[in-house]
């Protein structure tokens, strides 16, 4: 963005960027170091947190040990948690305000004379040096470009997310990241701003992706092991099945790159975002 020798355009298939409340995200020190180059350190301090520890608990809420996150920090770059919507809004304002074109879906792609020609369903087209595809685990763009249908596999697990208030929590340190480990599930709890809000995400083993009620799934897994955790799930709950890719994809075109879940979707590790970010 700061190098005038490069120009970029983002083609978004949706009508808008979703800047609703949303859930949390954890940013490793490396990613914060990069974001600070475009002013992330100037973001309102009330909109983010810097947890100092990752606390490990058994499913019975007995504290096992902790990991000192400050070991990875520098004076200006610190492990950070915040709302995804706040991060998206920041990126939109700093990088993307004049670079997003909405309601765009790729129809065909061809490579001519070292250039990538993109043809969209609405009849428009563009010619670029590189095309970076980042439309997620169910990447339709990847299937169109590679002329091959890609279907991810159900991993045998689901994710559940919710937001809760710190006054509702008594068993854990609300300033830290808490990882609660059970036999068929793990839960991650962490603060997302200075307004006493916390993000809760769970990954639960489940053999089928049937649309069973979330409450039923929780009762047969997490709450079966510790019914005292019921208070964590009083709010609005969102859930979705977890998928994985069979293998990473290298494009038939040398100027087409896939990133994120469009490239390769791998199963969440224990602590999901926390351990991967670290």
């Amino acid at each position: 963005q700061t190098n005038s020798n490069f120009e970029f355009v983002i083609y978004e298939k949706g009508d808008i960027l979703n800047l609703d409340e949303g859930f949390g995200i954890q940013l490793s020190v490396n990613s914060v170091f990069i974001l600070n180059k475009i002013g992330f350190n100037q973001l309102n301090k009330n909109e983010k947190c810097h947890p100092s520890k990752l606390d490990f608990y058994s499913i019975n809420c007995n504290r096992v040990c902790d990991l000192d996150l400050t070991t990875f920090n520098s004076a200006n770059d610190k492990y950070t948690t915040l709302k995804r919507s706040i991060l998206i809004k920041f990126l939109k304002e700093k990088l993307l305000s004049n670079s997003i074109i909405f309601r765009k879906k790729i129809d065909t792609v061809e490579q001519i004379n070292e250039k990538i020609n993109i043809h969209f369903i609405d009849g428009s087209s563009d010619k670029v040096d590189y095309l970076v595809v980042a439309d997620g685990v169910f990447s339709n763009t990847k299937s169109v470009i590679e002329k091959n249908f890609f279907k991810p596999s159900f991993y045998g697990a689901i994710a559940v997310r919710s937001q809760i208030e710190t006054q509702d929590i008594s068993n854990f340190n609300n300033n830290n990241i808490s990882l609660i480990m059970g036999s068929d599930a793990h839960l991650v709890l962490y603060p997302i701003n200075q307004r006493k809000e916390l993000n809760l995400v769970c990954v639960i083993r489940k053999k089928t992706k049937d649309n069973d009620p979330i409450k039923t799934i929780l009762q047969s897994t997490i709450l079966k092991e510790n019914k005292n955790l019921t208070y964590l799930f009083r709010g609005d709950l969102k859930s979705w099945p977890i998928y994985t890719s069979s293998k990473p994809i290298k494009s038939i075109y040398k100027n087409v790159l896939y990133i994120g879940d469009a490239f390769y979707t791998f199963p969440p590790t224990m602590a999901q975002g926390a351990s991967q970010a670290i």
Side-chain angles (χ1 to χ4, degrees), residues 90-204:
F90 166 80
L91 292 172
K92 179 177 182 293
E93 293 173 351
K94 292 292 183 179
L95 292 178
L96 314 176
S97 56
N98 300 314
S99 305
I100 306 178
I101 302 177
F102 293 97
R103 296 181 290 279
K104 288 290 188 179
K105 290 186 178 181
I106 291 180
D107 185 29
T108 60
V109 165
E110 57 185 348
Q111 185 166 356
I112 301 177
N113 298 328
E114 302 297 317
K115 295 281 188 177
I116 295 292
N117 288 2
I118 310 170
H119 301 277
F120 297 96
I121 290 177
D122 62 7
S124 63
S125 62
D126 197 2
K127 185 182 292 185
V128 299
D129 295 308
Y130 293 93
L131 172 62
V132 179
V133 179
D135 58 346
V137 58
F138 296 103
S139 176
N140 180 65
T141 304
K142 180 168 61 178
S143 296
V144 169
I145 294 174
E146 307 302 327
K147 300 177 178 62
N148 188 13
F149 180 68
F150 296 94
K151 183 180 180 181
S153 301
F154 176 60
Y155 180 61
I158 65 165
V160 179
R161 269 190 168 153
S162 185
Q163 283 185 357
I164 51 182
E165 303 292 328
T166 55
Q167 59 261 31
D168 297 331
I169 305 298
S170 57
N171 296 15
F172 311 105
N173 187 328
N174 298 328
N175 297 315
N176 293 343
I177 301 170
S178 298
L179 169 60
I180 305 103
M181 299 175 290
S183 58
D184 291 315
H186 74 268
L187 302 81
V188 183
L189 188 69
Y190 57 87
I192 51 178
N193 53 39
Q194 301 299 324
R195 295 189 295 276
K196 308 299 183 182
E197 292 179 302
L198 295 132
N199 182 76
L200 171 68
V201 60
C202 317
V203 174
I204 302 172

